[in-house]
Amino acid sequence: MRFGVVRFPGSNCEQDVVIACRYLGFDVDYIWHGDTDLAGFDAVVLPGGFSYGDYIRTGAVARFSPVMGEVVRFAERGGPVLGICNGFQILTEAHMLPGAMLRNRGLKFICETVPLRVEESACQWTGVPAGTVLRIPINHNEGNYTCDPETLAAMEAAGQVVLRYCEPDGTRAPGGSAPNGAFDDIAGICNERGNVFGLMPHPERVVDPEANGTDGQTFFTRIVERLAGV
Amino acid sequence: MARYEIFVTYKKGIFDPPGATAARALTSLGYSEVEDVKIGKYITLDVADGPDEAARVREMCDKLLANPVIEDYRIVEAQGSVSAG
């Protein structure tokens, strides 16, 4: 079992993902965005950062990196793909996940630890029961997820909404609990098959109990268990 | 060579955070007549003459310059304003 973490020009969270995987005892290595061979990797992570300076739109240029064609094929074969923050933005731009990202409501770059409710979903990366409230940091300027109501209804029906911003007790405020204004408080979604998962929060930053907590461990450990047939 | 001007704006119904913020700021500056502000992008594209020129410019918009999920675009071919080089 080996994780591969793609390095785009402008990625800046790839080392955090590698450190998190190693902390959990998993084999991991970097993948250069110019590479087109994913042989030897069992799961691919698109990390956070500002790929290509966020020019045009976040993720808009990175999706055409040479490695992305192979990431699409890897996902089509059922390979697990995780997109964190800028990685999530790249997955939407690549149409591997529905919807798109807008600037945060209020135009503020938001950097804080927020409560997130785990929803009942088909996501292969989620290892905790629906209703669990996780505390994970967000760190972004464009996390205001949007899609049309028909797409949301289809995602709900297929179990594609994985994480929602919520209040500390797991409820959702009537006016919305998303600090960035995301539609229907959406913080993370997966594809129909559940192998491609994108989220704005940074689980790799909450893996070591001596640094912020352990609420992010579940995503990495669950996919390893799943690949091992557990 | 031809110059194309491309205007990228959010689709109807998509919330425009910079536009909404500018509208609030203008109102607080005393411009109470402002009812709505939309902020988009303006792109100029100089392209060599070719058989599928206009179709290829549309393709560039669909692929990269705009995101069809949230944005519309309008292409205007600038008349007689381009000098080679």
PDB file of all heavy atoms in Angstrom, chain A residues 24 36 49 52 110 138 152 179 201:
ATOM      1  N   LEU A  24       1.390   7.852  10.238  1.00  0.00           N
ATOM      2  CA  LEU A  24       0.429   6.756  10.396  1.00  0.00           C
ATOM      3  C   LEU A  24       1.027   5.404   9.991  1.00  0.00           C
ATOM      4  O   LEU A  24       0.355   4.386  10.053  1.00  0.00           O
ATOM      5  CB  LEU A  24      -0.833   7.047   9.580  1.00  0.00           C
ATOM      6  CG  LEU A  24      -1.658   8.246  10.069  1.00  0.00           C
ATOM      7  CD1 LEU A  24      -2.714   8.640   9.048  1.00  0.00           C
ATOM      8  CD2 LEU A  24      -2.323   7.934  11.416  1.00  0.00           C
ATOM      9  N   THR A  36       3.734  10.834 -16.064  1.00  0.00           N
ATOM     10  CA  THR A  36       2.503  10.243 -16.604  1.00  0.00           C
ATOM     11  C   THR A  36       2.397   8.768 -16.243  1.00  0.00           C
ATOM     12  O   THR A  36       1.669   8.019 -16.882  1.00  0.00           O
ATOM     13  CB  THR A  36       2.447  10.389 -18.140  1.00  0.00           C
ATOM     14  OG1 THR A  36       3.668   9.889 -18.681  1.00  0.00           O
ATOM     15  CG2 THR A  36       2.275  11.845 -18.551  1.00  0.00           C
ATOM     16  N   GLY A  49      -2.748  24.056  -1.833  1.00  0.00           N
ATOM     17  CA  GLY A  49      -1.758  25.013  -2.319  1.00  0.00           C
ATOM     18  C   GLY A  49      -2.370  25.982  -3.302  1.00  0.00           C
ATOM     19  O   GLY A  49      -3.583  26.236  -3.274  1.00  0.00           O
ATOM     20  N   TYR A  52      -0.234  26.749 -10.041  1.00  0.00           N
ATOM     21  CA  TYR A  52      -0.176  27.740 -11.133  1.00  0.00           C
ATOM     22  C   TYR A  52      -0.687  29.111 -10.680  1.00  0.00           C
ATOM     23  O   TYR A  52      -1.325  29.843 -11.455  1.00  0.00           O
ATOM     24  CB  TYR A  52      -0.941  27.246 -12.362  1.00  0.00           C
ATOM     25  CG  TYR A  52      -0.304  26.030 -12.979  1.00  0.00           C
ATOM     26  CD1 TYR A  52      -0.655  24.756 -12.560  1.00  0.00           C
ATOM     27  CD2 TYR A  52       0.697  26.157 -13.948  1.00  0.00           C
ATOM     28  CE1 TYR A  52      -0.044  23.632 -13.095  1.00  0.00           C
ATOM     29  CE2 TYR A  52       1.314  25.039 -14.493  1.00  0.00           C
ATOM     30  CZ  TYR A  52       0.933  23.781 -14.056  1.00  0.00           C
ATOM     31  OH  TYR A  52       1.540  22.673 -14.585  1.00  0.00           O
ATOM     32  N   ILE A 110     -10.096  32.487   4.754  1.00  0.00           N
ATOM     33  CA  ILE A 110     -10.461  31.937   6.064  1.00  0.00           C
ATOM     34  C   ILE A 110      -9.468  30.858   6.482  1.00  0.00           C
ATOM     35  O   ILE A 110      -9.168  29.940   5.717  1.00  0.00           O
ATOM     36  CB  ILE A 110     -11.888  31.340   6.049  1.00  0.00           C
ATOM     37  CG1 ILE A 110     -12.889  32.394   5.572  1.00  0.00           C
ATOM     38  CG2 ILE A 110     -12.273  30.844   7.438  1.00  0.00           C
ATOM     39  CD1 ILE A 110     -14.282  31.836   5.315  1.00  0.00           C
ATOM     40  N   ILE A 138      -9.712  24.640   8.055  1.00  0.00           N
ATOM     41  CA  ILE A 138      -9.841  25.073   6.663  1.00  0.00           C
ATOM     42  C   ILE A 138      -8.879  26.239   6.458  1.00  0.00           C
ATOM     43  O   ILE A 138      -8.494  26.912   7.420  1.00  0.00           O
ATOM     44  CB  ILE A 138     -11.281  25.500   6.284  1.00  0.00           C
ATOM     45  CG1 ILE A 138     -11.804  26.589   7.224  1.00  0.00           C
ATOM     46  CG2 ILE A 138     -12.206  24.317   6.269  1.00  0.00           C
ATOM     47  CD1 ILE A 138     -13.108  27.233   6.756  1.00  0.00           C
ATOM     48  N   LEU A 152     -27.398  18.996  -6.803  1.00  0.00           N
ATOM     49  CA  LEU A 152     -27.395  18.678  -5.371  1.00  0.00           C
ATOM     50  C   LEU A 152     -28.345  17.519  -5.075  1.00  0.00           C
ATOM     51  O   LEU A 152     -27.992  16.577  -4.352  1.00  0.00           O
ATOM     52  CB  LEU A 152     -27.792  19.906  -4.540  1.00  0.00           C
ATOM     53  CG  LEU A 152     -27.934  19.638  -3.037  1.00  0.00           C
ATOM     54  CD1 LEU A 152     -26.594  19.241  -2.423  1.00  0.00           C
ATOM     55  CD2 LEU A 152     -28.503  20.843  -2.308  1.00  0.00           C
ATOM     56  N   PRO A 179     -18.649  28.835   6.883  1.00  0.00           N
ATOM     57  CA  PRO A 179     -18.026  30.151   7.042  1.00  0.00           C
ATOM     58  C   PRO A 179     -17.713  30.823   5.702  1.00  0.00           C
ATOM     59  O   PRO A 179     -17.556  32.033   5.632  1.00  0.00           O
ATOM     60  CB  PRO A 179     -16.744  29.844   7.815  1.00  0.00           C
ATOM     61  CG  PRO A 179     -16.487  28.386   7.634  1.00  0.00           C
ATOM     62  CD  PRO A 179     -17.817  27.746   7.403  1.00  0.00           C
ATOM     63  N   PRO A 201     -11.494  21.147   3.852  1.00  0.00           N
ATOM     64  CA  PRO A 201     -10.665  21.067   5.062  1.00  0.00           C
ATOM     65  C   PRO A 201      -9.395  20.242   4.844  1.00  0.00           C
ATOM     66  O   PRO A 201      -9.309  19.465   3.897  1.00  0.00           O
ATOM     67  CB  PRO A 201     -11.595  20.382   6.072  1.00  0.00           C
ATOM     68  CG  PRO A 201     -12.975  20.577   5.539  1.00  0.00           C
ATOM     69  CD  PRO A 201     -12.828  20.571   4.044  1.00  0.00           C
TER      70      PRO A 201
END
